[in-house]
Amino acid sequence: MEKIEEQFGNLRIAKRCALNGDPTYLLDIDVSKSVEAESNHLVAVSCSNKSIKVYNRETLHLLREYSGHPGLLNGVRFAHTSENMLFSACSDGTIKCWDIRLATQETVQSFRGYPSNIFISFDINCSDLIVCAGTEKVEEDTFMVFWDARSNTNYACAAKEPLGTYSETHNDDITKIRFHPIKPNLVVSGSTDGLVNVFDINKENEDDALIATCNSNSSVSFIGWSGKDYKQVYCMTHTEGFCWWDLTQIDTEEPMTLLQILDVREVVFIENSNLNYLIGGLYHEKADKLFVVGGTAMGNIHLINCGIDGLSLVGSLPGGHSATVRSFYWNMTDDSLLTGGEDAQLLLWKPGAVERSLVKKASMKIASSVQQQVRVHSTSLKRKKK
């Protein structure tokens, strides 16, 4: 822990990229992760103005921009086996895939949902074979929709139709989808119904596929995998709660819950600062530690350690952003950190870095034009468990 605390505390801003034009929220960040990308990582950012921007990770030089989406963007992901394939989900009921080597706005693949589908979450599994998206509730229907992600040789192919859906295990908006980092058949979903469900998609039907149902007792805002061999799942809620479960206890008499905190803001003490919200979590493989990342309305970032005995502050990064931080990506290889916020800034933090320009961008936090993207959903719960 001391080493992690030192690494985090030594982070300084190395590069700062401010979006020009209209103020824009930076909603999601992903970094290319294939072997071929080791020497030249790419960064993709989804923005509240319905655009996706791709940068060189070291220089934050803009390489590609994809705009003109008909709806709100809900996530951006690089393929695991190729740094050139970039996926995004849109509220118009489509998943799109671009080859960033091509200087065109045209997609190389698209995946179409059913007519009523509004996608608000998605992920691609670690083998790049399956794409899954979660929908907003329409009337009484909520779906997890699956597609075959393998590319066709013909770039001009028609939009792919779904392989199938899960529709019985959530009864409200599916806010997050996360495939297992190393097992392509496992996926976890989180919803505003308070449930976090774990599935084995190799099973023939939804009932058999459902491995575990965990109840967060609040609307789920973030989910992830953790622990050795990633046999744990955790979530955060729209009410700033935190839950952590051990899947190895599914078939035992022992409780699955490792930790459950209704409001993290009430239990984490931060001297001369405060904690206003949670951004997400990360599992540090080398340290075998789970961390929560949170922040303040003025843009300070806090790293919080998670243990079965509770949460504790590791360190803070002040002075980078000037408004709420919405997204981050911690690179375990070089201990660098990327953050994006409501001040329309993308920051690259590196150990011991010195920023050439120390001018902090004035707050550009915009009004409620994108609040539909971050609305706090109903916390009605699905009481009956599978």
Side-chain angles (χ1 to χ4, degrees):
M1 269 300 298
E2 291 80 7
K3 185 176 181 182
I4 300 295
E5 186 173 348
E6 181 182 346
Q7 289 172 347
F8 188 78
N10 197 34
L11 288 175
R12 300 291 184 270
I13 298 171
K15 294 287 180 180
R16 186 189 299 262
C17 178
L19 276 61
N20 297 320
D22 294 334
T24 303
Y25 287 11
L26 275 60
L27 301 174
D28 195 20
I29 295 174
D30 197 31
V31 172
S32 57
K33 52 189 79 72
S34 66
V35 174
E36 66 190 79
E38 282 301 313
S39 61
N40 186 25
H41 276 302
L42 301 170
V43 179
V45 180
S46 63
C47 305
S48 61
N49 65 358
K50 304 178 184 179
S51 72
I52 295 172
K53 298 177 186 293
V54 180
Y55 299 90
N56 177 289
R57 187 182 74 92
E58 292 299 320
T59 65
L60 297 190
H61 174 68
L62 182 64
L63 302 175
R64 290 280 185 267
E65 181 172 1
Y66 303 105
S67 55
H69 292 81
L72 293 172
L73 293 171
N74 291 288
V76 61
R77 292 284 178 275
F78 281 101
H80 298 270
T81 55
S82 172
E83 70 165 331
N84 300 308
M85 297 300 169
L86 179 66
F87 295 79
S88 74
C90 185
S91 62
D92 70 340
T94 63
I95 307 288
K96 294 180 172 65
C97 175
W98 289 270
D99 185 337
I100 63 172
R101 294 170 297 187
L102 306 177
T104 175
Q105 293 285 312
E106 296 298 318
T107 60
V108 295
Q109 280 199 98
S110 63
F111 307 85
R112 180 188 296 116
Y114 297 104
S116 64
N117 289 166
I118 300 171
F119 296 144
I120 56 174
S121 57
F122 95 108
D123 200 10
I124 182 168
N125 74 346
C126 62
S127 62
D128 290 339
L129 296 181
I130 300 292
V131 171
C132 177
T135 72
E136 195 172 82
K137 184 177 181 179
V138 175
E139 295 180 350
E140 297 302 315
D141 297 324
T142 301
F143 298 99
M144 292 172 64
V145 187
F146 297 88
W147 296 265
D148 182 344
R150 288 173 292 186
S151 61
N152 295 324
T153 54
N154 179 13
Y155 274 3
C157 62
K160 287 190 174 183
E161 300 295 332
L163 292 171
T165 66
Y166 291 167
S167 60
E168 302 296 328
T169 41
H170 286 295
N171 66 6
D172 212 334
D173 299 357
I174 298 174
T175 51
K176 289 293 177 182
I177 301 282
R178 279 294 176 269
F179 278 99
H180 194 278
I182 55 179
K183 294 183 178 179
N185 58 306
L186 297 183
V187 64
V188 60
S189 61
S191 168
T192 56
D193 63 12
L195 300 184
V196 173
N197 290 328
V198 182
F199 300 93
D200 180 352
I201 62 173
N202 282 349
K203 303 296 184 180
E204 290 189 4
N205 58 65
E206 184 175 353
D207 283 343
D208 292 341
L210 183 63
I211 297 173
T213 293
C214 308
N215 198 337
S216 73
N217 294 308
S218 188
S219 173
V220 175
S221 62
F222 187 95
I223 54 176
W225 298 84
S226 66
K228 186 178 180 182
D229 298 325
Y230 294 95
K231 294 180 180 179
Q232 303 165 355
V233 294
Y234 64 93
C235 85
M236 285 149 223
T237 71
H238 288 108
T239 54
E240 316 309 336
F242 174 79
C243 302
W244 188 15
W245 300 280
D246 183 0
L247 300 181
T248 64
Q249 304 299 337
I250 290 175
D251 298 320
T252 74
E253 297 299 318
E254 298 298 319
M256 287 177 57
T257 303
L258 296 171
L259 187 65
Q260 186 158 4
I261 296 174
L262 294 179
D263 191 338
V264 174
R265 296 169 297 184
E266 296 181 354
V267 300
V268 176
F269 173 74
I270 303 174
E271 189 174 356
N272 300 321
S273 186
N274 56 355
L275 179 67
N276 297 134
Y277 54 87
L278 302 179
I279 308 167
L282 66 98
Y283 173 66
H284 197 296
E285 285 187 342
K286 294 177 182 178
D288 188 24
K289 292 284 186 180
L290 175 61
F291 297 97
V292 168
V293 180
T296 72
M298 296 307 296
N300 294 345
I301 300 169
H302 303 307
L303 183 69
I304 300 163
N305 177 55
C306 306
I308 57 174
D309 55 346
L311 305 179
S312 59
L313 180 70
V314 176
S316 301
L317 295 177
H321 291 277
S322 57
T324 298
V325 179
R326 295 288 298 273
S327 52
F328 73 92
Y329 188 98
W330 191 342
N331 189 318
M332 306 292 176
T333 304
D334 62 1
D335 298 314
S336 65
L337 177 71
L338 285 155
T339 57
E342 295 183 3
D343 55 1
Q345 291 193 99
L346 175 65
L347 301 184
L348 172 62
W349 307 73
K350 285 191 170 187
V354 177
E355 186 182 10
R356 289 184 180 180
S357 173
L358 298 179
V359 178
K360 183 177 179 182
K361 190 178 180 67
S363 177
M364 293 178 63
K365 182 173 179 178
I366 56 180
S368 59
S369 61
V370 297
Q371 286 307 304
Q372 55 185 314
Q373 173 76 24
V374 294
R375 60 193 175 89
V376 177
H377 298 275
S378 165
T379 57
S380 61
L381 302 178
K382 182 177 180 182
R383 298 293 182 186
K384 184 178 179 181
K385 295 185 181 181
K386 287 276 183 180

